[in-house]
Amino acid sequence: KILLTCGGTAGHITPAVALARMFQERMEDSQVLFVGAKGGMEERLVPKEGFPLETVTISSFWRSLSPSSLRHNLRTLRNLSVSKKEAARILDGFQPDLVVGTGGYASYPVVHEAARRGIPTAVHESNAVPGLTTQRVADRVMVGYEDSRQHYHHPDRVVVTGTPVRGEFFRLTRQQARDALGIRDDRPLVLSYWGSLGAEVMNGYMTDFIRRAVREGAPFHHIHGAGRNYGAMQKALAGVSLPPEIQLREYIYDMPTVMVAADLVLCRGGASTLSELTAIGKPAVIVPSPNVTNHHQEKNANVLARQGGAVVLLEPVCSGDTLYQTTQDLLAA
């Protein structure tokens, strides 16, 4: 019985899904249960992947002393107490042989309670810099990079595994993926998305990017995932007649097919995304999120850029025109 706990973003969920499928393939009698945060996107994504999901009541801490932040953090403290009881109930019911956390706030109460009970525990940290404090209590910490070992209190517990990538990324050729998407001509395909939760600034740039692509006659196919900014982008593009070659989506559920078909990917620098890009050899334009701990997305992206696999642009000096021109230059190279 394997309990996987994750959530918050697709970058935490997809490695857990990849791991769950591997357990099922290699251990036919295994049972898998996911635990996520109540109200998180895992409530939508995990059942869609065919796995059962339980939830706990958990929220983030805000790094601010404003009145609204203080109120939010007080609620988070109350939620911690509630989530511990919920985690205990889930563990009592499922009786797992192993608990694995792959990131997200839901991992905290579940991994801690499992460790307290002596259940074997592991956490996976795909970024170069450690995240949750579960790394202090887990029996094993799995990391994406050898250089990450130095950041941990117990290096002897650290195992360099890389980041799991779902098998769906390897089942189609580029041409098969293009056929599946209905692409019948030779124009290249550009995929763009700025994380499962969206990114207001970057989606604003993409609005300008899409307008220019329409003006220039859609020189390439383009699929853009807007996340929670989907409605705002629809309104911003209300006066623009999008040709069939340009698709605006809320969420890209068939990401393996779209990424395999793509000739260029515009994205953030999350570790799961970079693992997928490198696994299938896709060039990328990466704009790291400036709102993450220790600038770890920028550090991740620079590793890929140094190997010639990506161009890195920083959000404060980016624009729709910059992204568009960089895309055109790379597609023409």
Side-chain angles (χ1 to χ4, degrees), residues 140-206:
R140 288 290 182 272
V141 179
M142 301 173 285
V143 299
Y145 307 98
E146 180 62 41
D147 290 347
S148 301
R149 196 186 297 273
Q150 63 183 307
H151 298 293
Y152 290 85
H153 296 280
H154 301 285
D156 54 304
R157 298 182 188 173
V158 176
V159 182
V160 181
T161 63
T163 297
V165 174
R166 289 173 289 167
E168 292 94 325
F169 282 90
F170 309 102
R171 290 176 185 161
L172 297 177
T173 65
R174 173 181 174 274
Q175 188 57 53
Q176 288 170 334
R178 286 173 67 89
D179 290 343
L181 294 173
I183 298 175
R184 305 300 179 211
D185 58 39
D186 293 333
R187 277 176 289 178
L189 170 63
V190 174
L191 162 65
S192 60
Y193 64 105
W194 305 108
S196 51
L197 298 179
E200 186 174 357
V201 171
M202 295 309 302
N203 280 317
Y205 294 156
M206 293 313 299

Side-chain angles (χ1 to χ4, degrees), residues 61-62 64-78:
F61 281 102
W62 290 358
S64 169
L65 296 177
S66 69
S68 61
S69 294
L70 291 174
R71 287 193 296 271
H72 174 87
N73 289 341
L74 284 173
R75 284 196 299 273
T76 295
L77 287 172
R78 288 195 294 270

Side-chain angles (χ1 to χ4, degrees), residues 54-309:
E54 298 257 10
T55 59
V56 295
T57 307
I58 193 72
S59 52
S60 63
F61 281 102
W62 290 358
R63 299 181 181 185
S64 169
L65 296 177
S66 69
S68 61
S69 294
L70 291 174
R71 287 193 296 271
H72 174 87
N73 289 341
L74 284 173
R75 284 196 299 273
T76 295
L77 287 172
R78 288 195 294 270
N79 288 342
L80 276 175
S81 177
V82 172
S83 66
K84 287 179 182 179
K85 296 175 182 177
E86 293 170 334
R89 174 185 58 77
I90 292 168
L91 292 171
D92 286 340
F94 188 59
Q95 295 289 308
D97 299 295
L98 171 67
V99 172
V100 181
T102 60
Y105 298 107
S107 296
Y108 180 86
V110 180
V111 172
H112 271 257
E113 179 60 21
R116 189 187 69 79
R117 296 179 179 212
I119 299 170
T121 56
V123 295
H124 181 266
E125 177 55 72
S126 53
N127 291 306
V129 181
L132 288 171
T133 55
T134 47
Q135 56 109 342
R136 294 174 181 267
V137 301
D139 296 313
R140 288 290 182 272
V141 179
M142 301 173 285
V143 299
Y145 307 98
E146 180 62 41
D147 290 347
S148 301
R149 196 186 297 273
Q150 63 183 307
H151 298 293
Y152 290 85
H153 296 280
H154 301 285
D156 54 304
R157 298 182 188 173
V158 176
V159 182
V160 181
T161 63
T163 297
V165 174
R166 289 173 289 167
E168 292 94 325
F169 282 90
F170 309 102
R171 290 176 185 161
L172 297 177
T173 65
R174 173 181 174 274
Q175 188 57 53
Q176 288 170 334
R178 286 173 67 89
D179 290 343
L181 294 173
I183 298 175
R184 305 300 179 211
D185 58 39
D186 293 333
R187 277 176 289 178
L189 170 63
V190 174
L191 162 65
S192 60
Y193 64 105
W194 305 108
S196 51
L197 298 179
E200 186 174 357
V201 171
M202 295 309 302
N203 280 317
Y205 294 156
M206 293 313 299
T207 300
D208 296 334
F209 183 105
I210 290 171
R211 286 197 184 106
R212 182 168 171 183
V214 172
R215 286 198 308 270
E216 297 189 6
F220 46 78
H221 293 270
H222 182 199
I223 297 175
H224 177 65
R228 62 186 173 192
N229 303 125
Y230 178 67
M233 283 196 73
Q234 280 186 312
K235 289 181 181 177
L237 293 168
V240 179
S241 179
L242 297 184
E245 294 84 359
I246 299 177
Q247 296 180 31
L248 176 63
R249 301 189 192 178
E250 182 175 6
Y251 190 82
I252 301 174
Y253 288 104
D254 55 344
M255 182 61 81
T257 300
V258 176
M259 191 179 287
V260 168
D263 296 280
L264 182 67
V265 180
L266 281 58
C267 59
R268 289 298 201 191
S272 290
T273 297
L274 299 194
S275 295
E276 291 160 359
L277 291 171
T278 53
I280 60 175
K282 291 295 172 179
V285 177
I286 301 173
V287 184
S289 171
N291 304 312
V292 295
T293 305
N294 294 326
H295 302 286
H296 69 245
Q297 284 204 6
E298 188 174 340
K299 294 174 183 176
N300 293 344
N302 285 334
V303 172
L304 193 54
R306 284 195 294 271
Q307 301 302 318

